[in-house]
Amino acid sequence: MKNVLILGAGLMQKPAIETASKLGYKVAVADGNPKAVCSSLADIFEPIDLKDRDSLLSFARNLDKNGGLEGVFTAGTDFSASVAFVAQHLSLPGHSYEAALNASDKIRMRTCFSEAGVPSPCFYCVDYRNEGKDLDEIRALPELSSFPLVVKPVDNMGGRGCRMVRSPEELASAVNIAVSFSRTKRAVVEQYMPGREFSIDSLVFDGEVTITGFADRHIFYPPYFIEMGHTMPTVINEKDWSDLAETFRDGIKALGLTHGAAKADIKLTPEGPMIGEIAARLSGGYMSGWTFPYASGINLTEQALLLALGKKPELLLEKRKATSVKGIWNLDTEKTSAERAWVSIPGVIEKTEGVSELLAEKKKNSTPLKDFLPRCNSGDKVSFPVNNVGKCGNIITCSENYDEAVSIAEEAVSSIVPVLRSDNKETEAFLSAPLDTEFPPSAFILPKECVESVFSECAGKNISSQEKIEMPAALIPYAEAVKDWNKRNIRKSLELFESLKTSFVDMPLCSFWKALFRGGVQGALYKAAEYEVEEK
């Protein structure tokens, strides 16, 4: 058995590890975390920091001497340059190291795009050694003189350290945070791109690009960019699809990517497509390894891995269809797969309600519910996310019907309730913040006059004076239409509170509604615990 080296042993690398094994290879895996969730799946595991390219190369050389090394691969990590470094030194198939560096460093990337005339934002690089001078120069640049701007680390992923800046006063602190998340202590300041956002996966070989996944990204909660899910395939007209695909292809060419995976985050702005970034790997976020295979019936990881092994991706060649854009092919998706995340207000999880019901639903053969993927469990500290790593978990569905795939994913997310432990300073601070706080935002954003009317109607009343909490008249028009971060409307939140409340509560109605508006059912349950009394 010859060896395949996979970089990363996290959940996003599980499809690669399992696929390499099914292809008949001995699977060697490197990850800096010896307790990484998929480390036990490897035939050979080596705890190596994936930034340590020399150590990775030494490990790869040893594998090559002991059975032969056929390929190096990753998916969903930030270390495609490490893959290319090893592959190039051992004359294995893959993108060149220089091209992978272009796709890993946002300054190099933006420079390549600019020189090739590929649409992307105007930008400026801030180096920690020269921050004061850099900030002065940014303020003097006409193309960066209008707000909002975006600040992000030059070399990180998952939205870590990335945020929107809407005034000169926010710039310095945003840069400091971004620099702290950068391995090279650099940040990029760039124009904000308005418009719809998409994720595109592709495989590049023989001078052609094959689109292997085109999804809508669902981004919320400024000033941060939190992806609350994606839907595969995109719902977009043919012209816009072609324009976006052509811009993606031009970006791939500008970076010099020629053999392997390429993934784009791209926007359709009022001026046309603009590239956020292109990575020299398959996507993470459950797209390449989950939603595309569900929607298409194709193991994309296998096809990408075959390229890394110097083989032809025969299934991809058989199924791809030419589009109207020269040099670009497309893989059709017959079904819709929707991924949705759920989040929590700050605190510590006591237990999570709704799990057993979802697991029971998942066991049904005919259900569109495919995956229930929790990230946080009892005893874990949680907070409202400021990047894509801070979410509590994900749901994935698949159906031949678009609306069904989306609605079941959102219904599943809305049924999950992380119940928080009492007497927590972070939870208290969140719930005591004004309802119009921008970030973290309140669960239910309602007109000021509606909120005032609710408080006026409920003044002086307690929950204990009623068998069931009645919906105030002012809330009825919003009861189904307004939803919280987890797609839960006000009526369902009220029903969940009634069903999950475990003891008798003597609580002012105004306190209840304030907690529900600010913190959703989580906030209402947390606040109600303060008013528990012995039932008479």
Side-chain angles (χ1 to χ4, degrees):
M1 294 177 67
K2 291 191 175 183
N3 299 297
V4 171
L5 174 57
I6 308 293
L7 300 195
L11 183 60
M12 291 300 120
Q13 291 79 59
K14 184 178 181 181
I17 296 170
E18 292 181 336
T19 298
S21 182
K22 288 178 182 177
L23 289 173
Y25 289 88
K26 192 172 184 178
V27 185
V29 177
D31 195 299
N33 178 13
K35 296 181 180 179
V37 65
C38 292
S39 59
S40 62
L41 299 179
D43 297 305
I44 304 169
F45 179 79
E46 193 70 19
I48 302 174
D49 187 331
L50 300 185
K51 298 188 294 292
D52 187 352
R53 293 169 186 157
D54 290 332
S55 293
L56 289 170
L57 179 57
S58 177
F59 178 46
R61 290 191 193 280
N62 188 52
L63 292 170
D64 199 30
K65 292 176 183 176
N66 293 278
L69 181 62
E70 291 285 284
V72 191
F73 188 79
T74 194
T77 76
D78 208 23
F79 298 101
S80 56
S82 295
V83 169
F85 180 83
V86 173
Q88 185 165 300
H89 275 80
L90 297 182
S91 299
L92 295 171
H95 298 303
S96 73
Y97 179 51
E98 283 299 309
L101 287 175
N102 290 340
S104 301
D105 183 299
K106 293 179 178 64
I107 298 301
R108 291 181 60 141
M109 185 186 304
R110 291 277 183 266
T111 302
C112 289
F113 293 158
S114 178
E115 291 175 350
V118 177
S120 66
C122 294
F123 68 97
Y124 187 93
C125 177
V126 179
D127 191 305
Y128 79 101
R129 294 165 295 188
N130 197 30
E131 270 185 42
K133 182 180 177 182
D134 285 339
L135 291 175
D136 289 339
E137 290 191 7
I138 290 170
R139 296 182 183 105
L141 290 172
E143 58 268 31
L144 296 178
S145 61
S146 60
F147 292 87
L149 301 173
V150 176
V151 179
K152 59 183 73 171
V154 165
D155 47 7
N156 212 321
M157 61 181 289
R160 297 174 180 90
C162 180
R163 65 160 289 170
M164 182 189 296
V165 171
R166 293 154 300 183
S167 68
E169 292 75 24
E170 294 179 347
L171 184 58
S173 63
V175 166
N176 288 335
I177 291 170
V179 165
S180 73
F181 278 93
S182 168
R183 292 190 294 273
T184 56
K185 302 303 177 186
R186 293 175 299 145
V188 60
V189 180
E190 61 188 33
Q191 291 175 317
Y192 171 71
M193 298 181 291
R196 289 179 62 185
E197 187 161 353
F198 308 86
S199 281
I200 312 178
D201 265 322
S202 74
L203 295 183
V204 185
F205 61 100
D206 294 342
E208 296 176 329
V209 175
T210 301
I211 303 295
T212 57
F214 205 129
D216 291 311
R217 298 184 78 196
H218 309 299
I219 309 293
F220 299 93
Y221 313 126
Y224 301 97
F225 303 92
I226 313 303
E227 183 172 0
M228 293 298 289
H230 70 270
T231 306
M232 171 82 68
T234 181
V235 178
I236 196 171
N237 65 55
E238 184 177 345
K239 180 184 184 304
D240 287 340
W241 191 102
S242 296
D243 289 346
L244 288 159
E246 186 174 6
T247 301
F248 179 32
R249 178 202 62 195
D250 293 344
I252 289 170
K253 183 178 179 180
L255 297 178
L257 301 173
T258 57
H259 190 89
K263 176 257 183 185
D265 292 334
I266 188 168
K267 279 193 168 186
L268 186 58
T269 75
E271 288 73 39
M274 292 186 75
I275 295 176
E277 62 181 73
I278 293 176
R281 55 170 173 80
L282 289 179
S283 61
Y286 302 105
M287 182 169 154
S288 64
W290 281 262
T291 58
F292 179 78
Y294 284 140
S296 67
I298 297 171
N299 182 347
L300 176 58
T301 304
E302 179 184 65
Q303 300 303 294
L305 192 55
L306 288 172
L307 279 179
L309 295 166
K311 303 177 185 294
K312 289 288 185 182
E314 298 295 345
L315 183 61
L316 181 146
L317 292 170
E318 175 189 334
K319 289 184 174 292
R320 72 184 188 175
K321 297 179 180 180
T323 72
S324 59
V325 182
K326 184 179 179 181
I328 304 177
W329 299 75
N330 182 36
L331 292 188
D332 284 341
T333 50
E334 298 177 356
K335 300 178 181 180
T336 295
S337 186
E339 175 265 320
R340 297 293 185 271
W342 73 91
V343 299
S344 173
I345 66 175
V348 176
I349 296 177
E350 178 68 33
K351 59 182 178 179
T352 300
E353 297 285 359
V355 173
S356 58
E357 293 84 353
L358 283 176
L359 291 177
E361 177 66 23
K362 183 178 176 296
K363 289 180 180 179
K364 299 177 183 178
N365 292 329
S366 59
T367 181
L369 180 61
K370 297 300 180 184
D371 291 290
F372 168 65
L373 301 160
R375 296 185 183 185
C376 301
N377 301 297
S378 177
D380 288 345
K381 184 177 180 180
V382 290
S383 60
F384 198 88
V386 295
N387 55 49
N388 290 323
V389 184
K391 295 172 285 192
C392 289
N394 305 77
I395 292 288
I396 300 176
T397 62
C398 181
S399 173
E400 293 180 358
N401 181 279
Y402 179 95
D403 291 336
E404 181 181 54
V406 171
S407 64
I408 290 180
E410 294 183 353
E411 177 65 24
V413 163
S414 74
S415 69
I416 302 168
V417 182
V419 179
L420 301 180
R421 292 179 182 175
S422 58
D423 194 24
N424 183 278
K425 292 181 180 179
E426 284 79 14
T427 310
E428 296 284 353
F430 179 91
L431 293 177
S432 63
L435 293 178
D436 60 357
T437 299
E438 181 191 25
F439 190 89
S442 291
F444 298 108
I445 310 299
L446 296 160
K448 184 178 179 180
E449 57 271 20
C450 172
V451 174
E452 290 174 347
S453 180
V454 170
F455 290 160
S456 176
E457 182 178 337
C458 296
K461 299 177 183 179
N462 279 26
I463 288 178
S464 60
S465 65
Q466 306 170 55
E467 292 183 1
K468 184 178 180 181
I469 301 173
E470 297 295 332
M471 183 82 67
L475 270 183
I476 291 175
Y478 306 98
E480 276 81 32
V482 178
K483 297 183 179 181
D484 68 7
W485 327 282
N486 296 320
K487 304 300 181 182
R488 207 163 22 232
N489 63 34
I490 297 173
R491 191 175 300 282
K492 180 168 184 175
S493 298
L494 185 58
E495 292 169 354
L496 280 170
F497 174 81
E498 296 278 10
S499 66
L500 297 177
K501 178 168 60 72
T502 57
S503 60
F504 188 76
V505 173
D506 186 12
M507 181 182 186
L509 270 174
C510 285
S511 295
F512 166 79
W513 288 113
K514 166 65 164 58
L516 187 79
F517 293 161
R518 178 65 180 145
V521 67
Q522 279 186 294
L525 289 168
Y526 179 91
K527 203 67 179 175
E530 297 180 9
Y531 294 90
E532 290 178 354
V533 296
E534 185 177 347
E535 189 167 1
K536 298 178 182 179

